[in-house]
Amino acid sequence: QVQLVESGGGLVQPGGSLRLSCAASGSIFSINDMGWYRQAPGKQRELVAAITSTGTTTYVYSVKGRFTISRDNAKNTVYLQMNSLRPEDTAVYYCNAVIRPSISGWYDSYWGQGTQVTVSS
């Protein structure tokens, strides 16, 4: 069983910062890409940022220069540092990881339960 547990969401004023964390646990042989998605009410889920196992990062244009994704491979954890937050960043943020649970298995995509981020004065 593989679990992704997110933390760090909450309410913040415009211009503020939050740091999201997502820890993978359970049967894990290796982790490939990790990323953060978000879904605002009435909108489709979108990729916010992703990071490969070797540290290459990708960002959606709207968060470039404000958000930073990083990972700690020893802890099976991915982070999203969000600065200069805007009301339009309000959404449920989901962690995603491509994980190989065992040496005999292959990679599959796993999701966290989501954490609410609300940017409002």
Side-chain angles (χ1 to χ4, degrees):
Q1 295 280 359
V2 174
Q3 280 191 315
L4 299 182
V5 178
E6 298 141 342
S7 60
L11 172 65
V12 64
Q13 292 187 340
S17 298
L18 283 175
R19 189 190 194 210
L20 305 183
S21 299
C22 172
S25 63
S27 175
I28 297 172
F29 177 72
S30 67
I31 302 178
N32 199 342
D33 295 352
M34 303 184 83
W36 290 93
Y37 290 70
R38 67 186 179 188
Q39 188 166 20
K43 294 189 176 181
Q44 289 191 330
R45 189 175 296 191
E46 66 169 351
L47 174 66
V48 177
I51 185 167
T52 68
S53 58
T54 55
T56 300
T57 58
T58 302
Y59 297 93
V60 68
Y61 180 78
S62 61
V63 308
K64 282 184 178 179
R66 300 188 298 121
F67 291 10
T68 302
I69 189 170
S70 61
R71 64 191 284 175
D72 184 334
N73 290 331
K75 296 182 179 179
N76 293 333
T77 299
V78 63
Y79 306 95
L80 186 67
Q81 178 66 44
M82 304 185 294
N83 299 328
S84 302
L85 282 160
R86 305 168 179 168
E88 53 264 39
D89 295 318
T90 296
V92 178
Y93 284 70
Y94 296 91
C95 171
N96 175 264
V98 179
I99 296 174
R100 184 176 181 181
S102 67
I103 193 170
S104 60
W106 196 238
Y107 289 98
D108 203 352
S109 180
Y110 294 85
W111 292 89
Q113 78 285 358
T115 185
Q116 177 69 47
V117 171
T118 302
V119 185
S120 175
S121 55

